[in-house]
Amino acid sequence: MKYSLNQIENITSGKLYGSSSCIIHAILTDSRKYFDSEYLFFAIRGMYNDGHQYISKLYNGGLRAFVVEALPEIDDYPEAGFVLVKNS
């Protein structure tokens, strides 16, 4: 099943910033794993790591859809869509 970022925004009760044109077919929580442009990355904060620090690397690798707790400078990611949530 595929989802739009608008649907992800509704499902997560988040707020969408940036591009809404992304279509999602899978989720990604580990930036070291294989992904393509139709993945949605959940930037998870843990005790020893913070997924938000990998947004730039993933964007440069072609990923365009993110669920985040802290909004990055979206002008740095003109083709990306970010769903801002309280807890990813």
Side-chain angles (χ1 to χ4, degrees):
M1 183 169 244
K2 294 188 178 196
Y3 293 91
S4 70
L5 272 184
N6 290 321
Q7 290 172 305
I8 299 296
E9 175 186 35
N10 290 330
I11 290 167
T12 62
S13 298
K15 173 77 172 137
L16 177 61
Y17 294 87
S19 175
S20 63
S21 65
C22 302
I23 300 298
I24 310 305
H25 80 264
I27 62 169
L28 178 69
T29 58
D30 186 340
S31 64
R32 299 169 295 180
K33 301 290 184 187
Y34 169 81
F35 65 88
D36 65 31
S37 63
E38 291 188 343
Y39 274 57
L40 172 66
F41 180 69
F42 278 77
I44 297 173
R45 290 186 175 160
M47 186 185 253
Y48 301 107
N49 210 349
D50 183 351
H52 293 81
Q53 68 186 1
Y54 302 106
I55 291 172
S56 180
K57 171 189 161 196
L58 292 167
Y59 182 83
N60 290 333
L63 199 67
R64 296 295 183 258
F66 302 87
V67 172
V68 297
E69 295 175 15
L71 199 60
E73 183 58 52
I74 61 173
D75 291 340
D76 293 342
Y77 308 99
E79 298 174 6
F82 297 91
V83 177
L84 182 64
V85 297
K86 291 181 182 178
N87 186 339
S88 56

